[in-house]
Amino acid sequence: MKYKAVRGMDDILPEDAQIWQWLEKTARTELEFYGYKEIRTPILEETGIFVRGIGETTDIVTKEMYTFNDKRERSLALRPEGTAPIVRAYIEHALYNVSPECRLYYIGPMFRSERPQKGRSRQFHQIGVEVLGTNSPYADAEIIRQVNSLLKLFGLQNFTIKVNSLGCKTDKAAFAESFKKYLSDKKARICDTCRDRMKKNVLRVLDCKNESCAEIARQAPDIADNLCGTCKDHIAKVKNALKGVKLEEAKNLVRGLDYYTGTVFEITHPSLGAQDAIGAGGRYDNLVKDLGGPDTGAVGYALGMERIIIALKKEIPGSDCAKVVYIATLGDAAKIRGIQIAEKLRKSESFADIIVLTDVKEASLKSQMRTADKNNARAVIILGENELREGRLTIRNMVKKTEESVEENKLFEILKNALEG
Ligand SMILES: [Zn+2]
Ligand SMILES: [Zn+2]
């Protein structure tokens, strides 16, 4: 019997783990600069949190959530997203008493039973941010500015931030009514799913990828025209505070979760194809109260890590995060010397971001060079009996394909040049 990983749940193998760790480390450092603190909630929650929070007619809850009954017949769910569990924790531990506005971030796996495709796995990973305890447009502006900065720090340039406002609960309900009216004589031209959505959650028609539905959505009345004075003022302030950040107005961008009100945004990247979002977020001013907490506003976003990695590989092909130095040695004495040099390099402050590999197979020089190549080594230090006797080393620059013999005490200097060049 040969076992395989569950479909849509992928192993992250060592060669890929490097980029994952780098993304996580970069995100943590940047978010902590902004004053965000990490929160880690369990992967399993009571199903009700998501039904109540995300909305019982959403695709996530009706089709995609992994739920099961435990031995005591409680319905539990693998979390399909991070916001509802964080709101649950915020209320359960009365975090609103700790600080009037609570800046949190999370990094971890989420689960949705969708058809696996490019950038869409059943276990996927998100980096997310929530600011709870404020209704202010300046919180929306802060997280959008901050996600823009984080994506650039990752090395991405070609992304687009699309922004819209859904308005408050009242505006949203009024728009749903007028949109339903608009659709009433077009029922024959929309898909079956959308005909069903018209009854349960009409705004979701705006998200439909079906070409005929999309065309009808493009001609639809504009949500922005339906906003009340307060909501118009709010989104205007958000945009004003984001001067200098490239934004695109996205008429009728709604997002597939019921809890959003007011500002919503989506970040897209051309490398992803039709489903081109690498992240999304928005304001959810009713969720804390709906889940039993105080009446307070909140805003947040989540980035899909698998999708960011696809975008990164597209934009920066061959980008590797750490520089590898391989020490190739021949003979026992050279091996011992090689281990000492490796230790010195790893501890040296002038080589903070390098990985040093040594031979652990007692392989031939040729085979060690192949190993160095497979590990994308930038430089190989070669140490044989001759070098050892003369107190010299050979440094091979694997990028430029050049080799030079150097005295051992010049090693650091010449290696540094080889790694930077
Ligand atoms: Zn409003
Ligand atoms: Zn449709």
Side-chain angles (χ1 to χ4, degrees):
M1 182 71 197
K2 253 191 189 167
Y3 292 106
K4 281 186 166 178
V6 177
R7 188 166 131 83
M9 306 211 179
D10 306 319
D11 295 311
I12 296 171
L13 297 174
E15 60 177 308
D16 279 331
Q18 207 186 334
I19 191 159
W20 284 84
Q21 290 175 353
W22 179 81
L23 276 181
E24 289 165 7
K25 194 169 122 192
T26 308
R28 278 177 209 286
T29 312
E30 174 75 353
L31 291 168
E32 281 170 21
F33 271 142
Y34 274 81
Y36 289 76
K37 295 206 170 98
E38 187 179 12
I39 182 163
R40 301 187 191 193
T41 63
I43 283 165
L44 273 182
E45 294 277 354
E46 285 186 53
T47 305
I49 290 171
F50 302 108
V51 177
R52 197 71 214 280
I54 304 169
E56 50 191 337
T57 62
T58 56
D59 286 354
I60 296 179
V61 168
T62 56
K63 294 190 233 158
E64 298 165 0
M65 199 157 58
Y66 284 97
T67 54
F68 64 95
N69 285 353
D70 72 358
K71 285 181 182 154
R72 288 172 52 201
E73 293 301 312
R74 279 176 307 201
S75 178
L76 302 178
L78 284 170
R79 61 181 187 193
E81 58 99 54
T83 302
I86 287 176
V87 171
R88 194 262 313 136
Y90 177 73
I91 300 165
E92 186 173 342
H93 306 287
L95 295 181
Y96 40 86
N97 287 334
V98 179
S99 162
E101 80 252 6
C102 198
R103 287 182 170 87
L104 302 172
Y105 76 88
Y106 59 93
I107 300 177
M110 309 291 158
F111 304 84
R112 290 183 204 172
S113 171
E114 294 182 274
R115 199 165 56 81
Q117 48 186 307
K118 185 180 173 192
R120 196 167 276 225
S121 330
R122 291 178 170 171
Q123 173 172 330
F124 59 102
H125 299 77
Q126 290 187 329
I127 296 174
V129 154
E130 317 286 352
V131 185
L132 298 118
T134 168
N135 294 300
S136 166
Y138 294 105
D140 312 17
E142 175 178 294
I143 65 163
I144 295 174
R145 186 172 289 282
Q146 179 251 300
V147 76
N148 181 60
S149 144
L150 183 60
L151 291 170
K152 286 193 171 158
L153 210 59
F154 289 154
L156 291 178
Q157 295 295 336
N158 302 334
F159 59 88
T160 308
I161 306 179
K162 299 176 176 170
V163 184
N164 191 26
S165 172
L166 298 176
C168 51
K169 231 178 176 171
T170 323
D171 300 342
K172 228 176 131 179
F175 178 75
E177 271 315 301
S178 65
F179 186 45
K180 218 182 262 178
K181 231 174 259 164
Y182 162 81
L183 288 177
S184 60
D185 60 351
K186 298 172 187 68
K187 275 185 200 162
R189 284 155 55 207
I190 62 176
C191 70
D192 289 347
T193 320
C194 283
R195 264 192 294 275
D196 195 43
R197 282 169 176 157
M198 270 186 76
K199 288 178 224 137
K200 292 179 187 154
N201 191 346
V202 68
L203 292 186
R204 296 283 288 116
V205 174
L206 293 167
D207 273 344
C208 189
K209 301 290 176 214
N210 178 298
E211 197 31 59
S212 173
C213 301
E215 182 52 35
I216 288 171
R218 275 192 289 274
Q219 310 293 327
D222 198 338
I223 298 183
D225 298 335
N226 284 268
L227 301 185
C228 70
T230 315
C231 290
K232 269 186 184 150
D233 187 47
H234 184 102
I235 188 71
K237 280 184 172 161
V238 173
K239 288 178 185 166
N240 199 35
L242 282 170
K243 290 246 163 80
V245 177
K246 214 174 88 200
L247 299 179
E248 196 180 293
E249 305 212 4
K251 172 191 159 172
N252 294 350
L253 167 72
V254 288
R255 304 297 310 151
L257 297 92
D258 278 0
Y259 55 60
Y260 284 130
T261 51
T263 313
V264 283
F265 60 97
E266 188 174 78
I267 304 147
T268 59
H269 193 278
S271 62
L272 272 297
Q275 308 272 349
D276 59 355
I278 54 172
R283 186 158 269 291
Y284 48 95
D285 287 341
N286 302 299
L287 186 58
V288 180
K289 193 167 163 233
D290 283 352
L291 291 179
D295 188 0
T296 184
V299 64
Y301 72 75
L303 297 173
M305 295 181 72
E306 281 81 358
R307 295 175 179 206
I308 287 189
I309 291 171
I310 292 173
L312 270 175
K313 287 186 173 165
K314 188 88 187 179
E315 265 199 52
I316 322 165
S319 63
D320 48 0
C321 311
K323 295 166 183 167
V324 176
V325 174
Y326 190 93
I327 304 184
T329 45
L330 271 184
D332 291 330
K335 257 182 191 23
I336 301 296
R337 189 75 198 111
I339 293 167
Q340 291 165 347
I341 294 172
E343 281 301 284
K344 247 166 87 184
L345 282 170
R346 291 181 189 121
K347 287 191 180 123
S348 158
E349 280 186 17
S350 41
F351 294 102
D353 59 349
I354 62 163
I355 294 171
V356 186
L357 297 176
T358 57
D359 168 53
V360 284
K361 281 179 74 180
E362 298 181 60
S364 69
L365 188 59
K366 211 170 156 192
S367 146
Q368 290 185 53
M369 292 307 284
R370 264 201 304 274
T371 307
D373 215 34
K374 276 197 181 139
N375 283 289
N376 294 321
R378 297 266 189 108
V380 180
I381 299 168
I382 303 164
L383 191 55
E385 277 165 14
N386 288 343
E387 281 91 352
L388 207 61
R389 206 173 326 118
E390 292 163 13
R392 297 181 77 86
L393 302 156
T394 303
I395 298 180
R396 185 166 166 77
N397 185 324
M398 300 292 274
V399 183
K400 292 184 185 152
K401 312 272 176 226
T402 53
E403 214 172 84
E404 68 181 303
S405 167
V406 301
E407 282 171 45
E408 211 188 301
N409 57 17
K410 297 261 172 63
L411 169 68
F412 276 35
E413 189 187 320
I414 290 167
L415 187 63
K416 200 152 179 68
N417 289 337
L419 292 176
E420 274 159 14

